[in-house]
Amino acid sequence: MTQVKVQPPIAKRIPKELKIHGDVRVDDYFWLNQREDQEVLDYLNAENAYCDELTGHTKEFQEQLFEEMKSRIKEDDQSVPYKYNGYWYIVKYETGKDYPIYIRKKETLEAEDELLFDCNEMAEGHDYFRLVGLNVSPDNTLISFGLDTVGRRNYTLKVKNLVTNEILPDSIENTTGSASWANDNITLFYTKKDTETLRSDKIYKHKLGDDEANDTLVFHEADDTFGVTVYKSKSRKYLVIACYSTLTNEYHILNADTPDESFKLFQERIRGVEYSISHYGDNFYVVTNSDNAINFKLMKTSETATGIENWQEVIGHREDVLIEDIDIFKDFLVVSERSNGLNEIRIIRWDGTEDYYLPFDNETYTAYTGTNVDFDTDILRYGYNSLTTPSSTIDFNMVAKTKTVKKEQEVLGGKFDKENYVSERIWATADDGTKIPMSMVYRKGIKKDGSNPLLQYAYGSYGSTIDPYFSTIRLSLLDRGFIYVISHVRGGEYLGRQWYEDGKLLTKTNTFTDFIACSKHLISEKYTSKEHLYALGGSAGGLLIGAVINLAPQLYNGVIAAVPFVDVVTTMLDDSIPLTTGEYDEWGNPNEEEYYNYMKSYSPYDNVKAQDYPNILVTTGLHDSQVQYWEPAKWVAKLRLLKTDSNKLLLKTNMTAGHGGASGRFEALKEDAEEYAFLLDLENINN
């Protein structure tokens, strides 16, 4: 009896004409954007059933991969304690439990545990659960927090009394989840979101015990390309409202002792001028790109005269060093820099007697300053890991110059030895001659004969840099012969701010052609071959994958596009969608013809054509607030219609989650196991 081949679901076509600038695009699958429509849900469920059918033979292997990934993770684990305002704060995980437990101890680590939240109990009965924005009042008796049980990053703000352990009646919907206390312990400042676009646009003041209807609107961000947030300075003296867009910042400050006074403008927004502020003593320190300091410089100004005309230079602009951030301590200034792609941590005494860098010794590492909430200390907490070295939390004594490893991530299972792996940094040459760096890791003993399966990953947007980091999950690929590569393509900030400028707006296609140049280099250097090369990207990195397989589908045996942003033109023309208006500085505004035409030239959905495509797995979440589920759904439907190959095309929709996928720490591993099984199956590896 012959086996009946399972047929993929075919989405019905209802042509919709989309007209602008005298151009007409016909979208056959526009109707898929009706989230509540039963026909839409039926289609998504049919795609899920088809995906399950075609991957059914890997189900046992997925379970094996899941257990393997889980077995490397220390289930009964806890964070390195940090001290703030007289208490040590700790996050714990218990064996078999998905969610964190938050505790604190008074003054010493020997003190009794005080339970703040057990998220395992709170998550019961919810498919999705997220607790964010924990903020303790100055007198240590109250804590504000945000809850989301849907996955759309829309949080209900609540307050708990830490003396009586009761949740107070105060409850505010539709917030970012975070809030900041004034120094009176009864006034709380929080951020509201627009109900449709989810843009953070209003700052309110709430008095504990008062009805939300009486809350005072203290700031409204009317420009829909900006978002706002409110926080307290590390010095605890100021409450700060931050207004931010892709290219421009503005801050407003208020003494935290006088919450009923008005916020004062720090420096009004100037288009293209980015700045961030840190308070110390009688001054503010300002990291800014003003006056064409593309890699940023450090300035200072008196707290009584904060306008840009008063800013004085502390660390000047450098062509080859990007200033990413600063941490301020009583005796030290710590500067996070990036030079030739590598993280550097610079420590300077305020009195000018010392200025030195922490030593790091290879080319494929990540180092960053950690939770440094204590102002009056000589200890800098920082994190370190590399492609071959598990992450460590380190306390560095800035006076004695000694370091104490407080915690090194344990890789359980007894099989991991970092000496079994090799990492290196190599460079490809892009079409325009630019050298593109890649960080890679693989097991020792691999031969460069073109036979190795290789997974190439990149993101490449928003100036977001993907540093070479350690992953216990990734070991499941490396130990089965895969090489893993991070391509540091333009659009990120790996080689400084210009690297970002050269991969956005009207230079966006550099991101895609850089990735393809890296793929060709990996093939020509015989790390892999077209038959064994795979690509992975998520969100804006999913846009990268979509663009790349339209341009060079023949280079890859398979790709994974996670929550991919693939219908660029339609989304950027729809200002009701979360994120759209705030993204004009990243992608351009398609209401302007030049940007419309350029965007249309690379938008994955608009450029699907009749050609052979690689094997494709696409994932999305029904409640995704960042990339709406209908983008990947429409893209898959169009690919099904036009592609000329018989390769796999699978769409998996998580019907209960948002942009980040499942919320539990182990549930998320199941999604990783599914993706890895898809890749390994294409290599005929099934155990």
Side-chain angles (χ1 to χ4, degrees), residues 194 196-198 571 573-581 628:
D194 179 284
E196 188 172 19
T197 66
L198 300 187
T571 289
L573 282 168
D574 183 355
D575 57 19
S576 74
I577 292 176
L579 297 187
T580 292
T581 51
Q628 307 297 324

Side-chain angles (χ1 to χ4, degrees), residues 29 42 60 63 143 152 170 225 248 276 461 481 487-488 502 511 519 540 565 617 663 672:
Y29 304 108
D42 289 346
E60 273 184 39
E63 190 58 37
I143 186 167
R152 265 183 86 69
D170 306 70
T225 66
T248 310
S276 60
S461 292
S487 293
H488 304 291
D502 292 344
T511 305
S519 300
F565 172 42
L617 169 63
S663 59
D672 293 318

Side-chain angles (χ1 to χ4, degrees), residues 340-342 363-364 423-427 437-440 494:
N340 194 30
L342 305 179
E363 286 197 329
T364 57
S423 67
E424 58 177 313
R425 185 166 70 158
I426 63 171
W427 302 71
M438 291 178 267
S439 301
M440 65 162 65
Y494 185 79

Side-chain angles (χ1 to χ4, degrees), residues 420-422 424 440-454 477-484 526-528:
N420 291 336
Y421 304 88
V422 180
E424 58 177 313
M440 65 162 65
V441 60
Y442 49 84
R443 266 191 87 97
K444 267 186 188 159
I446 271 176
K447 293 184 175 62
K448 284 164 62 171
D449 59 6
S451 69
N452 304 303
L454 186 150
L477 287 183
L478 301 182
D479 290 347
R480 289 176 173 85
F482 264 77
I483 297 172
Y484 183 86
K526 294 200 162 29
Y527 284 100
T528 189

Side-chain angles (χ1 to χ4, degrees), residues 51-220:
C51 179
D52 289 343
E53 185 73 36
L54 261 67
T55 58
H57 64 287
T58 70
K59 283 290 182 252
E60 273 184 39
F61 186 33
Q62 286 179 36
E63 190 58 37
Q64 180 190 331
L65 286 167
F66 168 71
E67 291 298 339
E68 183 180 294
M69 292 171 181
K70 188 178 169 188
S71 74
R72 295 193 196 103
I73 296 172
K74 194 169 179 344
E75 288 201 44
D76 55 333
D77 201 5
Q78 69 172 47
S79 64
V80 180
Y82 69 85
K83 196 172 191 186
Y84 181 70
N85 201 18
Y87 281 84
W88 290 94
Y89 288 88
I90 302 166
V91 184
K92 294 204 303 193
Y93 283 94
E94 291 182 352
T95 302
K97 294 186 177 176
D98 253 334
Y99 292 98
I101 297 165
Y102 294 90
I103 64 165
R104 68 176 183 176
K105 294 168 178 279
K106 190 168 186 179
E107 290 303 343
T108 73
L109 288 169
E110 285 66 54
E112 268 184 52
D113 285 5
E114 289 183 29
L115 177 67
L116 303 176
F117 299 101
D118 184 341
C119 294
N120 300 288
E121 289 178 7
M122 297 169 76
E124 280 177 20
H126 298 292
D127 288 326
Y128 180 94
F129 176 85
R130 189 126 191 263
L131 176 77
V132 299
L134 306 191
N135 204 321
V136 180
S137 61
D139 66 1
N140 289 315
T141 65
L142 301 161
I143 186 167
S144 65
F145 61 97
L147 279 183
D148 175 16
T149 54
V150 177
R152 265 183 86 69
R153 302 187 183 184
N154 216 348
Y155 297 90
T156 301
L157 186 67
K158 294 176 177 285
V159 177
K160 181 178 182 179
N161 184 318
L162 295 175
V163 181
T164 64
N165 274 327
E166 63 183 323
I167 305 286
L168 301 183
D170 306 70
S171 181
I172 302 166
E173 304 282 336
N174 211 39
T175 77
T176 59
S178 63
S180 283
W181 294 95
N183 290 343
D184 63 2
N185 301 296
I186 58 165
T187 309
L188 205 52
F189 291 85
Y190 64 90
T191 313
K192 272 267 200 188
K193 290 185 165 192
D194 179 284
T195 48
E196 188 172 19
T197 66
L198 300 187
R199 179 172 72 90
S200 306
D201 65 344
K202 295 184 178 80
I203 306 293
Y204 281 89
K205 177 171 65 179
H206 175 75
K207 297 287 186 185
L208 221 54
D210 207 351
D211 191 289
E212 184 198 338
N214 299 326
D215 288 0
T216 308
L217 176 66
V218 294
F219 188 85
H220 176 217

